[in-house]
Amino acid sequence: MMYSDIPAAQTLVLNFRSRGVKNIVISPGSRNAPLTISFTKNPFFNCYSIVDERCAAFFALGMAQHLQEPVAVLCSSGSAMLNFYPAVAEAFYSDIPLIVISADRPAYRIDIGDGQTIRQENVLEKHTSYSANLKQDVSHARNTILKFGKSLLRESQEEVQSFNQTEIDRALTVAFLEKAPVHINIPFEEPLYGRVEEPSIERLDEKKFLTKSLSDNQDWEELAKTWANSSRKMILVGVNQPNTIEDEVLQKLANDPNTVLFTETTSNLHHPEFFESIDSIIAPIEKSGKKNTLFEQLRPELLLTFGGLIVSKKIKAFLREYTPKEHWHIDTKKANDTFYCLTKHITIGPNLFFKKIVGQDVTAQSEYKSFWERKKNQYEKKRDAYLKEIPFSDFKVFDHIIKGIPKGYQVHLANSSTVRYAQLFPMDRSLKVFCNRGTSGIDGSTSTAVGSSIFSAEPTLLLTGDLSFFYDSNGLWNQYLRPDFRIVLINNSGGGIFRILPGKEDTKEFETFFETSHGLSAKHLAEMYGFDYLVAENEDELLKGSNEFYATSDRPKLLEIRTPRELNNKILLGYFDFIS
């Protein structure tokens, strides 16, 4: 093993090792050399080199999302760290423990016109749960400090060491216990490449974390009574890790005659009694002549939510207008008042909550669930009929693709149109679905999927649109693409979602500044990054290419599906008219 000769670098690396943070994503640079040397020369760590800092941060986020443990991303000084920010914001709103490490220049080099210097301290504080700004060692490069930074010598190296140790410990504790992003900023003075075989600071023993204590101060008798007496209960589940809700709990919820359970594709919850396509229930009501009456029939007395953020705009608009009497959110960390009617935040896990509540004698009886089940059965039949009528389009492609995903795959959905189309079709329960819904940006979907695939026992499929794919094409610029990595790129030559949103107009300005129409193909990118490339421009080509696409191979594969830009929105909007 080899270490940097700079104490702060040694302290960070030894703390990471003692806490078990072993996956380190490194973007190349010079100022971070002390840490790069220390991490890469220690066999305990798995180190990954990603040049593009934005991609590196999403790559690390994908790993942390999959492993459900902290993963670090490291960069040099200057603007490099700012490219981490989109992934940091995503981690903040998705409760993912991303550890950002930024090497910095000494304070006396900042704002004097020196190269690669910006004000790095606390620059991420609005979207991290802790910012640790370490102090510069005064035992390293002492002659330079005497010349330019004498004020640093007011503290001894022992005091600096104690401060840095405490700050690193606090940052790591927050990352682990809060499942949140943290930032550690470390100033280094040259020389940066000195090495020692043994650290100069005391080795740290492996630390054990205290588990986070959860308050259980609820009146369970009162909660159970409210649950049993509610004749119209709605459960709405957002982003949820695969296999987190026990089958026993799912079965109890499915058997409750007064409960309508809406799932999103990102919820990873499946049962024949659940409602998998929220918009297919809401949209026909919006178009109905009895809109107010039907919405009143759907309005829950008790709304119960758990999981992350909700995709469906329609259910959010409905619940904000037709608010329930009570809204309980179950989460050990936070409760978003998404519908402006939150009444209780229950800070335990959903499995324990439902075991305490569900199964009590139901005193209120209603037709709530059975009525909406009939509506669900109607739209499912109409969806099948609609698919037989329409031409080749995004809508038909999503039906084919989702039906054709092999069992057991890990599926990453890009944002914008992709995740919204996926909401309309049932996913096989064996699939594990992920999507960056914390900020809902298109900027890192590819990088996140690649990072997540590293430790996946199953193959990974990225289902993406053209703007998201081309925007993050640097996400393929690395050496970690597995042969079983697959990308389905639905290329409708622009931002198709803007043709669905209000304000669409057939003008040159709309095509240029909203839809951003283009004529790009992924063929040459696929060749450059070593992908086998397939293309489909009609239904027959798509059906023929599917078997080849999923077949075992020595290289990753990309299937580009070209769909009609000016027809897709009409077919999607026509679907909601048809099922109405």
Side-chain angles (χ1 to χ4, degrees):
M1 290 190 290
M2 197 76 68
Y3 297 87
S4 166
D5 62 356
I6 302 178
Q10 295 176 15
T11 304
L12 185 89
V13 170
L14 291 175
N15 271 275
F16 273 40
R17 178 163 181 165
S18 74
R19 292 294 184 99
V21 181
K22 64 190 308 179
N23 294 299
I24 316 294
V25 181
I26 301 172
S27 291
S30 180
R31 191 60 48 170
N32 57 338
L35 292 169
T36 301
I37 290 168
S38 301
F39 282 128
T40 58
K41 292 294 185 181
N42 191 321
F44 174 81
F45 298 104
N46 303 317
C47 295
Y48 304 86
S49 176
I50 306 287
V51 174
D52 184 317
E53 283 88 1
R54 182 169 56 82
C55 296
F58 277 109
F59 181 92
L61 180 139
M63 296 177 89
Q65 180 189 64
H66 181 86
L67 295 171
Q68 289 293 288
E69 65 182 43
V71 172
V73 59
L74 166 65
C75 71
S76 188
S77 65
S79 61
M81 181 190 56
L82 300 180
N83 291 293
F84 286 168
Y85 214 137
V88 171
E90 176 63 34
F92 183 77
Y93 287 109
S94 292
D95 300 322
I96 295 174
L98 182 69
I99 303 174
V100 173
I101 314 167
S102 55
D104 201 354
R105 306 267 167 149
Y108 48 79
R109 305 283 188 191
I110 309 300
D111 289 340
I112 64 165
D114 218 15
Q116 285 189 274
T117 58
I118 65 169
R119 300 171 188 176
Q120 292 184 200
E121 291 189 0
N122 301 318
V123 75
L124 304 175
E125 68 177 343
K126 293 293 186 182
H127 293 94
T128 52
S129 291
Y130 195 80
S131 292
N133 297 294
L134 303 195
K135 294 182 178 181
Q136 182 182 338
D137 294 302
V138 295
S139 62
H140 177 75
R142 195 169 179 85
N143 289 338
T144 305
I145 293 173
L146 284 167
K147 190 172 184 179
F148 301 110
K150 286 184 180 180
S151 61
L152 296 179
L153 298 176
R154 294 170 186 164
E155 290 186 284
S156 67
Q157 178 61 31
E158 289 72 21
E159 290 172 314
V160 170
Q161 177 63 31
S162 176
F163 177 87
N164 288 348
Q165 173 61 52
T166 299
E167 285 298 288
I168 293 170
D169 187 63
R170 287 174 177 169
L172 293 181
T173 298
V174 169
F176 272 94
L177 296 188
E178 299 296 328
K179 296 288 186 184
V182 297
H183 177 207
I184 303 173
N185 190 62
I186 313 180
F188 293 126
E189 180 56 276
E190 298 177 13
L192 302 169
Y193 291 87
R195 308 180 187 191
V196 294
E197 292 188 3
E198 293 293 333
S200 58
I201 68 166
E202 184 179 346
R203 286 182 179 272
L204 300 172
D205 295 328
E206 289 190 11
K207 295 185 178 182
K208 293 183 179 179
F209 280 106
L210 297 173
T211 56
K212 184 178 180 181
S213 59
L214 301 176
S215 60
D216 186 5
N217 56 357
Q218 301 293 335
D219 184 342
W220 289 103
E221 184 176 343
E222 184 63 29
L223 290 177
K225 182 180 177 182
T226 301
W227 178 271
N229 290 336
S230 297
S231 61
R232 294 190 300 186
K233 299 187 288 285
M234 179 183 291
I235 299 176
L236 177 59
V237 190
V239 176
N240 192 60
Q241 283 287 117
N243 304 318
T244 55
I245 306 301
E246 298 172 12
D247 286 340
E248 172 193 350
V249 170
L250 295 179
Q251 197 58 48
K252 284 183 177 181
L253 295 175
N255 291 337
D256 190 326
N258 297 338
T259 298
V260 169
L261 197 152
F262 281 124
T263 65
E264 297 211 297
T265 304
T266 54
S267 73
N268 288 291
L269 292 186
H270 304 276
H271 194 283
E273 297 288 330
F274 296 167
F275 292 70
E276 294 183 312
S277 180
I278 298 172
D279 288 1
S280 296
I281 289 286
I282 301 291
I285 300 176
E286 292 175 335
K287 295 177 178 292
S288 170
K290 298 186 294 182
K291 173 182 173 180
N292 290 334
T293 300
L294 288 170
F295 272 143
E296 282 294 344
Q297 286 181 268
L298 185 59
R299 184 205 297 254
E301 296 174 3
L302 171 61
L303 170 67
L304 192 146
T305 56
F306 67 93
L309 303 188
I310 299 297
V311 176
S312 172
K313 289 184 176 181
K314 292 184 183 298
I315 194 67
K316 284 187 277 191
F318 161 65
L319 289 170
R320 289 167 182 170
E321 179 71 20
Y322 296 84
T323 55
K325 292 180 181 177
E326 294 198 54
H327 172 202
W328 304 348
H329 186 73
I330 307 167
D331 190 273
T332 59
K333 182 178 177 182
K334 62 187 178 184
N336 292 316
D337 192 8
T338 304
F339 314 108
Y340 305 105
C341 58
L342 184 70
T343 53
K344 281 186 175 64
H345 176 200
I346 301 170
T347 55
I348 64 172
N351 283 311
L352 180 56
F353 170 82
F354 287 119
K355 286 178 181 178
K356 285 176 174 284
I357 292 295
V358 181
Q360 308 287 338
D361 291 334
V362 177
T363 56
Q365 298 292 332
S366 73
E367 295 289 316
Y368 188 54
K369 180 181 177 181
S370 60
F371 178 83
W372 292 107
E373 272 189 330
R374 291 194 292 272
K375 297 291 185 184
K376 180 182 77 167
N377 294 335
Q378 289 171 10
Y379 86 67
E380 286 177 346
K381 291 177 182 177
K382 288 186 175 181
R383 180 179 60 203
D384 293 340
Y386 188 68
L387 283 163
K388 293 176 182 177
E389 292 188 4
I390 59 175
F392 190 68
S393 58
D394 282 354
F395 193 91
K396 181 160 278 193
V397 164
F398 272 92
D399 177 58
H400 280 302
I401 291 299
I402 289 174
K403 284 178 180 175
I405 302 172
K407 290 183 181 297
Y409 258 64
Q410 174 180 249
V411 180
H412 278 256
L413 301 173
N415 273 306
S416 204
S417 293
T418 301
V419 69
R420 297 188 185 282
Y421 269 108
Q423 295 277 90
L424 302 176
F425 302 95
M427 286 266 188
D428 187 88
R429 65 178 303 146
S430 70
L431 303 177
K432 300 176 178 65
V433 181
F434 298 90
C435 183
N436 289 344
R437 291 304 299 174
T439 59
S440 307
I442 69 167
D443 40 4
S445 301
T446 302
S447 299
T448 302
V450 175
S452 181
S453 73
I454 299 298
F455 292 106
S456 177
E458 305 88 8
T460 297
L461 170 67
L462 169 64
L463 187 53
T464 182
D466 48 294
L467 294 191
S468 180
F469 175 77
F470 290 121
Y471 193 101
D472 195 30
S473 59
N474 272 0
L476 304 178
W477 182 14
N478 60 72
Q479 302 174 12
Y480 311 110
L481 292 163
R482 288 174 28 164
D484 60 359
F485 190 78
R486 299 288 183 269
I487 298 175
V488 170
L489 165 59
I490 300 172
N491 189 346
N492 52 30
S493 299
I497 195 170
F498 289 101
R499 286 188 163 267
I500 301 166
L501 298 175
K504 181 197 79 68
E505 54 184 16
D506 292 319
T507 64
K508 181 180 178 181
E509 290 75 18
F510 173 81
E511 289 186 6
T512 302
F513 295 104
F514 288 90
E515 187 180 26
T516 55
S517 60
H518 63 84
L520 298 176
S521 166
K523 181 179 180 180
H524 298 297
L525 276 173
E527 292 174 353
M528 181 170 72
Y529 290 123
F531 276 71
D532 289 339
Y533 174 78
L534 299 85
V535 63
E537 298 188 1
N538 55 57
E539 193 168 2
D540 287 339
E541 290 178 356
L542 176 57
L543 293 173
K544 289 176 183 177
S546 294
N547 289 335
E548 181 184 351
F549 178 67
Y550 289 113
T552 302
S553 61
D554 296 327
R555 307 200 311 170
K557 295 182 183 181
L558 187 151
L559 170 60
E560 182 170 19
I561 306 171
R562 295 185 169 279
T563 63
R565 179 171 63 88
E566 296 182 353
L567 183 61
N568 288 316
N569 65 302
K570 297 180 176 66
I571 291 175
L572 177 61
L573 296 174
Y575 165 69
F576 293 122
D577 288 331
F578 189 86
I579 64 173
S580 300

